[in-house]
Amino acid sequence: MAQRFTLVARLLHWTMAAAILAMLFIGVAMVASLTDYHRLVSIHEPLGLLILVLVALRLVYRLFHPAPPLPRGMPGVLRFAAKASHVLLYALMFALPLVGWGMLSAAGYPIAPTSWLHLPAILPQNDKLYAVLRPTHTVLAFVLFATFLAHFGAALTHALVFRDGVFQTMASWRR
Amino acid sequence: MPSDGPGRYDLAALLAPTAIARLGAIGVAVAAVAVAFAWTAGWLSPERLTQARMIDAFEVDNGQHAGFRRNHAKGVCLSGWFEGNGAGVKLSKATVFKSGRVPVFGRFALAGGLPMMPDGPNAVRSLALDFSLADGEVWRTGMNAIPVFPVKDPQAFYDQLVAVKPVGTTGKPDPVRIKAFFDANPESARAIAAIKASEFSSGFANAAYNSLNAFRFVDAAGVATAVRWSMVPIDAFAPEPSDTPPDKNYLFDALAARLKQGPAQWQLMLTIGQPGDPTNNATQAWPAGRQTIDVGLLSIVALQSEATGNCRDVNFDPLVLPSGIAPSDDPLLSARSAAYSESFTRRVGEPKTPSAVQAGKGG
Ligand code: HEM
Ligand code: HEM
């Protein structure tokens, strides 16, 4: 197998995959639990901001280390679906934490993901802005979850049905 | 390396029996993740007590009042400052306790979900504050002028909301349900008795406001102490007048008149819990005679009508804390944070109408 994602790219991918999936589950769990709300929010906010840092690093890294090419025989529609879903995933990985940070800013909450880190507001306090951003965070999270499901299903299809080596470009444990 | 031979992606290849079986297995895997997500979100368990159900219960009891808080709906904004005297530093590293002044804004309110309710002798007065500390730290607190809280946990709070729901044609709660609630929650019966036995003051300015929930104060060395706090008024206590004034806003009007004469002030008193004092049950008072420490003076100088951008659009979430103050194991704390967030999100998105209390210019 000549072409794989680099070790750094694979590490970033799997770390972020675990983190984002955890964020989606923590998010829906916390807004439906009076008892665990505080505990979960205290993970959600710092982990979400960490994802923002990681996705920024990952995008920069990817510009210098392009993805391996898709198999030559792969039809145009599938290529398009793959490219488009990857662009969408990147966009959502940026948008969700930014909207999260923005909505806390618009609500006038302090942005204190940990006791030693206090971040500035990225938007002015504004009730109308919060009223738009809060549902946006939910909608984007559900779009991200749906995109993740498609991505997960497609990855397994490459691995088990097409068996075209695409899965192994990301999922190979050898250095 | 697998070849890129044609056929691999053809429909015919996907319809081969092994491919269909594998696609089916993949479908099951994807569906399993989706079901786990739905379960985590509570969509499969409608009986779960969520923040949405809690706030729905307020709306059932009180009706829909767009734009207003679902509890403590009637209120007015306030501004002033807090002057720490330095005595709190030995319990908490929070900068608010150093000697010096920090700006404060907040909200006086009456407990209850009716934004137009008339002031009355039995209305529970509340004081919510935001201390804006250096380097972006914030301390928010919502305190009530009662000695203990009526319920010990969110389930009991919800059950109480359901029990006092107005029923049938009377529009009044069903006494049978209320009795059943107190039978199931004897600590609430005791708490209500203690609240009724306490004397309410004649107004907002001479009332003592209590945190009721316990918190952990953490000092510079990391040592934690259980604390409940109170804002104890400098204005002398006077009991409620025996005949309630007819003015629907008499409590708020008296407060505005009081502030025209100068700042109203409160001492922030910390009560130090001893091992064994309940930190997870706000229906129980701590034993009398616990050590108290005066850590500073709150001065409230002005009122402002609820309006865009002021206290109206702030969530006085009791878990917005500076480092040096941490939550205790009181289950009400996380529940408050969660329910206030839901109430906040609903009301902020709704159209606004003027509040009952309109602070006069400069008043
Ligand atoms: C990859 C990043 C993120 C994901 C996948 C994510 C996902 C979610 C999800 C699924 C929910 C529940 C939505 C609902 O059902 O209404 C949620 C809520 C929330 N998220 Fe995020 N989030 C992310 C980043 C952030 C960040 C960075 C912050 C803040 C700094 C944040 C703050 C919040 C808040 C405050 C809530 C709602 C709490 C409430 O309404 O009481 N999120 N998030
Ligand atoms: C699980 C128990 C509780 C529930 C479900 C609950 C519910 C609520 C809700 C929905 C609001 C309106 C929040 C907003 O829209 O900003 C509110 C406000 C308030 N609550 Fe509670 N509450 C609980 C316990 C307590 C306790 C123990 C105290 C004790 C001190 C308290 C004091 C206050 C105060 C002072 C306000 C008014 C804050 C303001 O003026 O903005 N609550 N409560």
Side-chain angles (χ1 to χ4, degrees):
Chain A
M1 195 183 312
Q3 305 260 6
R4 283 186 300 159
F5 281 93
T6 65
L7 180 65
V8 174
R10 279 175 287 142
L11 278 176
L12 277 168
H13 173 273
W14 290 108
T15 317
M16 291 190 67
I20 288 170
L21 201 56
M23 283 298 286
L24 288 164
F25 277 79
I26 290 172
V28 292
M30 76 191 188
V31 298
S33 172
L34 293 159
T35 310
D36 297 323
Y37 178 77
H38 181 66
R39 208 183 337 259
L40 293 175
V41 170
S42 310
I43 303 172
H44 192 86
E45 293 180 4
L47 187 56
L49 291 164
L50 182 66
I51 287 172
L52 182 59
V53 174
L54 289 177
V55 72
L57 290 175
R58 183 169 171 188
L59 186 66
V60 172
Y61 184 85
R62 195 184 203 275
L63 296 178
F64 294 99
H65 302 83
L70 291 168
R72 259 168 289 134
M74 209 169 131
V77 240
L78 291 188
R79 282 171 181 278
F80 175 78
K83 290 263 156 62
S85 64
H86 297 163
V87 170
L88 185 58
L89 283 169
Y90 268 97
L92 290 168
M93 288 189 290
F94 276 104
L96 263 154
L98 284 172
V99 170
W101 188 351
M103 80 195 189
L104 291 183
S105 308
Y109 292 112
I111 322 286
T114 70
S115 59
W116 46 266
L117 182 64
H118 297 105
L119 297 174
I122 52 171
L123 289 172
Q125 188 198 350
N126 182 305
D127 56 329
K128 302 218 168 45
L129 214 48
Y130 176 79
V132 172
L133 292 176
R134 177 62 188 82
T136 303
H137 194 69
T138 303
V139 170
L140 291 181
F142 291 169
V143 174
L144 176 56
F145 185 65
T147 316
F148 158 74
L149 286 183
H151 182 78
F152 176 54
L156 291 179
T157 306
H158 280 290
L160 302 175
V161 180
F162 299 150
R163 302 210 266 171
D164 54 3
V166 168
F167 183 77
Q168 285 72 19
T169 61
M170 190 57 90
S172 87
W173 305 115
R174 289 174 299 110
R175 281 170 57 100
Chain B
M1 167 125 195
S3 79
D4 295 344
R8 186 188 292 283
Y9 301 103
D10 289 351
L11 192 57
L14 297 180
L15 293 177
T18 41
I20 292 205
R22 287 176 174 190
L23 284 172
I26 292 167
V28 169
V30 170
V33 180
V35 170
F37 191 68
W39 180 83
T40 307
W43 299 330
L44 307 180
S45 28
E47 76 293 345
R48 195 184 291 179
L49 180 53
T50 62
Q51 31 275 67
R53 273 185 76 210
M54 181 72 96
I55 298 303
D56 286 348
F58 279 100
E59 294 178 358
V60 167
D61 285 7
N62 301 305
Q64 301 270 348
H65 304 283
F68 291 98
R69 284 165 165 78
R70 291 339 192 222
N71 196 6
H72 297 251
K74 182 183 186 181
V76 70
C77 299
L78 64 86
S79 56
W81 61 81
F82 174 75
E83 190 134 6
N85 61 20
V89 172
K90 62 175 180 289
L91 286 178
S92 167
K93 63 180 177 210
T95 58
V96 66
F97 297 119
K98 292 185 179 157
S99 29
R101 201 180 259 206
V102 296
V104 161
F105 71 89
R107 187 168 175 271
F108 283 108
L110 296 177
L114 298 172
M116 299 296 153
M117 73 187 258
D119 295 359
N122 300 324
V124 171
R125 301 96 210 251
S126 69
L127 172 61
L129 296 174
D130 171 298
F131 301 75
S132 306
L133 311 180
D135 68 40
E137 279 202 301
V138 178
W139 179 23
R140 290 194 184 148
T141 170
M143 298 162 287
N144 284 342
I146 44 177
V148 288
F149 199 65
V151 296
K152 69 176 189 310
D153 61 21
Q155 186 65 49
F157 196 107
Y158 178 79
D159 292 345
Q160 182 203 33
L161 286 175
V162 173
V164 301
K165 181 170 90 175
V167 287
T169 47
T170 62
K172 292 217 155 46
D174 175 355
V176 177
R177 285 202 194 179
I178 294 188
K179 182 173 181 309
F181 170 77
F182 283 124
D183 288 347
N185 298 277
E187 72 288 346
S188 291
R190 283 191 293 272
I192 298 279
I195 292 167
K196 288 204 170 128
S198 69
E199 218 176 357
F200 282 25
S201 70
S202 60
F204 279 107
N206 60 358
Y209 299 92
N210 302 316
S211 73
L212 303 180
N213 300 122
F215 290 79
R216 285 184 308 125
F217 277 44
V218 183
D219 70 11
V223 177
T225 311
V227 167
R228 286 175 173 176
W229 65 78
S230 301
M231 286 288 179
V232 178
I234 300 294
D235 282 14
F237 178 86
E240 268 281 315
S242 46
D243 48 336
T244 306
D247 173 10
K248 286 176 66 165
N249 292 337
Y250 75 93
L251 288 171
F252 287 97
D253 290 349
L255 173 65
R258 166 64 188 79
L259 290 182
K260 288 218 172 71
Q261 293 156 24
Q265 295 182 308
W266 286 261
Q267 276 175 314
L268 174 50
M269 304 291 289
L270 308 184
T271 303
I272 316 298
Q274 293 300 315
D277 289 351
T279 53
N280 62 353
N281 190 338
T283 67
Q284 292 177 11
W286 285 351
R290 288 284 176 260
Q291 187 196 354
T292 58
I293 305 179
D294 167 10
V295 296
L297 193 63
L298 170 71
S299 298
I300 292 176
V301 296
L303 303 180
Q304 303 87 29
S305 316
E306 291 186 295
T308 304
N310 68 9
C311 82
R312 188 195 74 185
D313 296 338
V314 168
N315 172 0
F316 292 92
D317 175 342
L319 292 184
V320 169
L321 298 168
S323 76
I325 307 181
S328 69
D329 55 353
D330 187 335
L332 289 177
L333 286 172
S334 175
R336 289 178 70 185
S337 189
Y340 293 18
S341 175
E342 177 72 17
S343 172
F344 178 76
T345 299
R346 290 191 193 185
R347 65 188 171 83
V348 160
E350 294 165 344
K352 302 295 189 301
T353 49
S355 303
V357 184
Q358 292 295 318
K361 285 194 188 70

